[in-house]
Amino acid sequence: GQNIDQPTEMTATEGAIVQINCTYQTSGFNGLFWYQQHAGEAPTFLSYNVLDGLEEKGRFSSFLSRSKGYSYLLLKELQMKDSASYLCAVRDGSGYSTLTFGKGTMLLVSP
Amino acid sequence: DTAVSQTPKYLVTQMGNDKSIKCEQNLGHDTMYWYKQDSKKFLKIMFSYNNKELIINETVPNRFSPKSPDKAHLNLHINSLELGDSAVYFCASSQDITGGNTIYFGEGSWLTVV
């Protein structure tokens, strides 16, 4: 089976840095994705990690440790528009592209 | 141009009715999906199609029947709607069925069963 855990909610202040953690237990592993979902909208792709280490993309970075079954999404210089749900998703080792999602972390950025 | 488009965006219907949600992607992708997001915002795979063929069918009641007339379209038909079917249904697509491909989501269809 698959199990993906991430905190339900987090709060942070504009301009700050926040780290959203995700731990997973899956049948095999073929990549980890982070998606952002604003209320009432579709999830949009943020990052993809398949090898250990840090992937940086502007204000957002994502880290993966396959041995620990652990990832985090780092958001720097937070803006109000970053208030959204952040979904951790894992592709298992079946060879198929289907993603299994965690329940999402609702991030609230305050002034 | 919208890459993955689905209609209708909002649908309110009574228990027992039959309804369909249509999805089209103009990305030239081979693989399409239906995901369901419940009231707790949990996004869960329902079906996956590759080149019009059913690849993955999760534990979904057989009242839900996907149909793929061609690889650019994947429609979802729901029979005998129940209150618990109220959710947001997201259509999505990816280049192909293999790993490493990003999945792109449509805007979602908000279904409310009353």
Side-chain angles (χ1 to χ4, degrees), chain B residues 14-51:
Chain B
Q14 291 186 325
M15 278 195 303
N17 284 350
D18 302 338
K19 291 295 177 186
S20 293
I21 307 171
K22 295 185 176 181
C23 179
E24 174 182 6
Q25 53 95 4
N26 63 6
L27 297 167
H29 287 169
D30 287 345
T31 308
M32 296 185 72
Y33 313 81
W34 278 108
Y35 276 84
K36 178 181 179 180
Q37 190 169 43
D38 60 25
S39 57
K40 296 183 179 179
K41 308 302 181 187
F42 189 33
L43 195 61
K44 191 171 181 182
I45 182 70
M46 299 174 70
F47 302 103
S48 171
Y49 269 70
N50 189 57
N51 276 318

